Amino acid sequence: MSRELDSSRRRMLRGVAAGVTAGTVAGCTGGGSDGTGNGTDGGTGDGEPVAGGELVYSQQVSPIEFDPIVVNDIYSQQVCSQVFEPLYAYDESTNPVPHLAREEPTVERDGTRYVVELRDGPRFQNGEPVTAEDIRYSLLAPVEEETANAPDVEMIDSVEVVDDRTVQIDLQYGYGPFYTLALTRNVVPESVREADKEAFNLDAPVGSGPFEFDDWTEGEFVDLVKWDDYWGDPKPYLDRLRFEPVEESTTRVVSLETGESDVADGITPQTWETVESADNMSLQSEPGISYYYIAFNCNEGPTTDPQVREAIDYAVSMDQAVSNFIEPAGERNYAPVPLPVADSWDFPVDEWADIGHDRDVDRAAELLADAGVPEDYGFRIIVPPDDLREQIGVSVSNGLKEAGYDAEVRRYDWGTFLDTYDTGNEDDYNMYALGWLGGPDPDSYVYNLFHDEQIGATNGTYYENDDLMEEIIAARRASDIDERRELYESIIPTVLEDRVHLPSYSLRVSIGVRDHVNDFVAHPRSQYNPRILSDYNNVWLDQ
């Protein structure tokens, strides 16, 4: 039976999909290109930092807005991470540590109450102090305004301002990743944003971070300047930071070679060797916090039948496709969570890898025929404007053709793709290729990609399984990590056995850095690159 989602909800939530899927590369790195955790060290050799200069950072896609309450795309978030700051920032990995907050939160009432105290000193770039009221506002605004960020904080019941520097956050229910995912969101000044939300988003964002917004032209550049009165210590060495979108991967690498840019993210398999072997740059690369997959339309058409989905699993060797088109920029992933997340949770990935089938085209043809799929049926796979995902889609279509069925891959621009992949209509798609660049917790993937509350928004599968939905919510709300692990070890095999997705790969964070850039350390989440200033690094340039 076909299901429909209210169109207003689809419009509101689609922003989440745009935010986490617009990026081509997401990743996790432990530090420098040598894997030691040290940042790149340029040509001075004496390790003495030099203040001043401008760093040009080549992004894959142009930012579009700058208000953390509404921002959902990775490339806008990369700019926001320089201008705004959270209560708790991620360390070199993905562990939250106090930043605007004085210390770790006090957790009470079985994980349903968090008390957070601000440290002395943080100020916004208009000179006003960061207050508990600003914290309250920043946590509640996404739900009150029904922005696409609402799912991040929708479990909050109330936020009480205890005093100017203390908030008490009460949750409607225990939410396991609240500290890791919700309290790491950026804080905005209520008075400035409320005065003119549109200007705050597009013309004059004001945060508490080390860089101030200067100017921007969509599709061309974003310019930030050092905030001389930054409250934190140390201050940034750089005077200016420019973001320039360069969508074509080869062009990004050429811009590095010629010195038009200093750092470029999204080094692809095609440009990997060029950067790795160059004399004037280095490559930072480690396993990435990302998950890419082929998803099935379980709402209409032959892919509503689990046997058809299993047949398509037989039709393609995902191992070979990843080896041919993704490596060395990514690694084979057999489960719907990023490899570093699976590793940190000690999930039985080797067992899950056995659920998928080796390629057997004859068996695929047999299952498709037995399921009653007409011989003249044409399967449709839609992909966004990304060469890697298109190659995975083509691998699936080629397997179906060898099994005796027509199959086409349609590549859409991002706007068209995001308007199409979540409709549940057979005429629009039987399968889609997509990726999720969420947080360092299984809930970020399992809930958003499989729960029926996200159907028509971040979940275009329309998969139905009432027992599984209850387990997903139970895992989302449990506070005990062992209880959550046990639930995920039941949930994930179920979605794998039902072939809701065909997991494909996790990309590596892959950033090219010119040799005159010092102390650059790529962060595990693409949203936080470039990490210019942190507790463990402060980027500077040879002059």
Coordinates of all heavy atoms in Angstrom, one line a residue, residues 86-115:
P86 N 30.3 26.1 20.5 CA 29.3 25.3 21.3 C 29.7 25.3 22.8 O 30.7 25.8 23.2 CB 29.5 23.9 20.7 CG 31.0 23.9 20.4 CD 31.4 25.3 20.0
L87 N 28.7 24.8 23.5 CA 29.0 24.6 25.0 C 30.1 23.6 25.1 O 31.1 23.7 25.9 CB 27.8 24.0 25.7 CG 26.6 25.0 25.9 CD1 25.4 24.3 26.4 CD2 27.0 26.0 27.0
Y88 N 30.1 22.5 24.3 CA 31.1 21.5 24.3 C 31.6 21.2 22.9 O 30.8 21.0 22.0 CB 30.5 20.2 24.9 CG 30.0 20.4 26.3 CD1 28.7 20.7 26.6 CD2 30.9 20.2 27.4 CE1 28.3 20.9 27.9 CE2 30.5 20.4 28.7 CZ 29.2 20.8 28.9 OH 28.7 21.0 30.2
A89 N 32.9 21.4 22.7 CA 33.5 21.2 21.4 C 34.1 19.8 21.4 O 34.4 19.2 22.4 CB 34.6 22.2 21.2
Y90 N 34.2 19.2 20.1 CA 34.9 17.9 20.0 C 36.4 18.1 20.1 O 37.0 19.1 19.7 CB 34.6 17.3 18.6 CG 33.2 16.9 18.5 CD1 32.3 17.4 17.5 CD2 32.6 15.9 19.3 CE1 31.0 17.0 17.3 CE2 31.3 15.5 19.2 CZ 30.5 16.1 18.2 OH 29.2 15.7 18.0
D91 N 37.1 17.1 20.7 CA 38.5 17.1 20.8 C 39.1 16.6 19.4 O 38.3 16.6 18.4 CB 39.0 16.3 21.9 CG 38.6 14.8 21.8 OD1 38.1 14.4 20.8 OD2 38.8 14.1 22.8
E92 N 40.3 16.1 19.4 CA 40.9 15.7 18.1 C 40.0 14.6 17.5 O 40.0 14.4 16.3 CB 42.3 15.1 18.3 CG 43.3 16.1 18.9 CD 43.4 15.9 20.4 OE1 42.3 15.8 21.1 OE2 44.5 15.8 20.9
S93 N 39.4 13.8 18.3 CA 38.5 12.7 17.9 C 37.0 13.3 17.9 O 36.8 14.4 17.4 CB 38.7 11.5 18.7 OG 37.8 10.5 18.3
T94 N 36.1 12.6 18.5 CA 34.8 13.0 18.6 C 34.2 13.0 20.0 O 33.1 12.7 20.3 CB 33.8 12.2 17.7 OG1 34.0 10.8 18.0 CG2 34.2 12.5 16.2
N95 N 35.1 13.2 21.0 CA 34.8 13.3 22.4 C 34.5 14.7 22.8 O 35.3 15.6 22.5 CB 35.9 12.7 23.3 CG 36.3 11.3 22.9 OD1 35.5 10.4 22.9 ND2 37.6 11.2 22.6
P96 N 33.3 15.0 23.3 CA 33.0 16.4 23.7 C 33.8 16.8 24.9 O 33.9 16.1 25.9 CB 31.5 16.4 24.0 CG 31.1 14.9 24.2 CD 32.2 14.1 23.6
V97 N 34.3 18.0 24.9 CA 35.0 18.6 26.0 C 34.5 20.0 26.2 O 34.0 20.7 25.3 CB 36.6 18.7 25.7 CG1 37.1 17.3 25.6 CG2 36.9 19.5 24.5
P98 N 34.6 20.5 27.5 CA 34.0 21.8 27.8 C 34.7 22.9 27.0 O 35.9 23.0 26.8 CB 34.3 22.0 29.3 CG 34.4 20.6 29.8 CD 35.0 19.8 28.7
H99 N 33.8 23.8 26.4 CA 34.3 25.0 25.7 C 33.7 26.3 26.3 O 34.3 26.9 27.1 CB 34.1 24.9 24.2 CG 34.8 25.9 23.4 ND1 36.2 25.9 23.3 CD2 34.4 27.0 22.8 CE1 36.5 27.0 22.6 NE2 35.4 27.7 22.3
L100 N 32.5 26.6 25.9 CA 31.8 27.7 26.6 C 31.4 27.3 28.0 O 31.3 28.1 28.9 CB 30.6 28.1 25.8 CG 30.8 28.8 24.4 CD1 29.5 29.0 23.7 CD2 31.6 30.0 24.5
A101 N 31.2 26.0 28.1 CA 30.8 25.4 29.4 C 32.1 25.4 30.3 O 33.2 25.2 29.8 CB 30.2 24.1 29.3
R102 N 31.8 25.5 31.6 CA 32.9 25.5 32.6 C 33.5 24.1 32.8 O 34.7 23.9 33.0 CB 32.5 26.1 33.9 CG 33.6 26.3 34.9 CD 33.1 27.0 36.2 NE 32.2 26.2 36.9 CZ 32.6 25.3 37.9 NH1 33.9 25.1 38.1 NH2 31.7 24.6 38.5
E103 N 32.6 23.1 32.8 CA 33.0 21.7 33.1 C 31.9 20.8 32.4 O 30.9 21.3 31.8 CB 33.0 21.5 34.6 CG 31.8 21.8 35.3 CD 31.9 21.7 36.8 OE1 33.1 21.5 37.3 OE2 30.9 21.8 37.5
E104 N 32.1 19.5 32.6 CA 31.1 18.6 32.1 C 29.8 18.8 32.7 O 29.7 19.2 33.9 CB 31.6 17.1 32.3 CG 32.8 16.8 31.4 CD 33.2 15.3 31.6 OE1 32.5 14.6 32.3 OE2 34.2 14.9 30.9
P105 N 28.7 18.5 32.0 CA 27.4 18.7 32.6 C 27.1 17.8 33.8 O 27.6 16.6 33.8 CB 26.4 18.4 31.4 CG 27.2 17.4 30.5 CD 28.6 17.9 30.6
T106 N 26.3 18.2 34.7 CA 25.8 17.4 35.8 C 24.5 16.7 35.3 O 23.6 17.3 34.8 CB 25.5 18.2 37.0 OG1 26.6 18.9 37.5 CG2 24.9 17.3 38.1
V107 N 24.5 15.4 35.3 CA 23.4 14.6 34.7 C 22.6 14.0 35.9 O 23.2 13.3 36.8 CB 23.9 13.5 33.8 CG1 22.7 12.7 33.2 CG2 24.8 14.1 32.7
E108 N 21.3 14.2 35.9 CA 20.5 13.8 37.0 C 19.2 13.1 36.4 O 19.0 13.0 35.2 CB 20.0 15.0 37.8 CG 21.2 15.8 38.4 CD 20.8 17.0 39.1 OE1 19.6 17.5 38.9 OE2 21.6 17.6 39.8
R109 N 18.4 12.5 37.3 CA 17.1 11.9 37.0 C 17.2 10.9 35.8 O 16.5 11.0 34.8 CB 16.1 13.0 36.6 CG 15.8 14.0 37.7 CD 14.5 14.7 37.4 NE 14.3 15.2 36.1 CZ 13.2 15.8 35.6 NH1 12.3 16.2 36.4 NH2 13.2 16.2 34.3
D110 N 18.2 10.0 36.0 CA 18.3 8.9 35.0 C 18.5 9.4 33.6 O 18.0 8.9 32.6 CB 17.1 8.0 35.1 CG 17.0 7.2 36.4 OD1 18.1 6.9 37.0 OD2 15.9 7.0 36.8
G111 N 19.3 10.5 33.5 CA 19.7 11.0 32.2 C 18.6 11.9 31.5 O 18.7 12.2 30.3
T112 N 17.7 12.4 32.3 CA 16.7 13.3 31.7 C 16.8 14.7 32.2 O 16.1 15.6 31.8 CB 15.2 12.8 32.1 OG1 15.1 12.8 33.5 CG2 15.0 11.4 31.6
R113 N 17.9 15.0 33.0 CA 18.2 16.4 33.4 C 19.7 16.6 33.3 O 20.5 15.8 33.8 CB 17.7 16.6 34.8 CG 18.2 18.0 35.4 CD 17.5 18.3 36.7 NE 16.1 18.6 36.5 CZ 15.3 18.8 37.5 NH1 15.7 18.7 38.8 NH2 14.0 19.0 37.3
Y114 N 20.0 17.7 32.6 CA 21.4 18.2 32.4 C 21.5 19.6 33.0 O 20.7 20.5 32.6 CB 21.8 18.2 31.0 CG 22.0 16.8 30.4 CD1 20.9 16.0 30.1 CD2 23.3 16.3 30.1 CE1 21.0 14.7 29.5 CE2 23.4 15.0 29.5 CZ 22.3 14.2 29.3 OH 22.5 13.0 28.7
V115 N 22.5 19.8 33.9 CA 22.7 21.1 34.4 C 24.1 21.5 33.9 O 25.1 20.8 34.1 CB 22.7 21.1 35.9 CG1 23.0 22.5 36.4 CG2 21.4 20.7 36.5

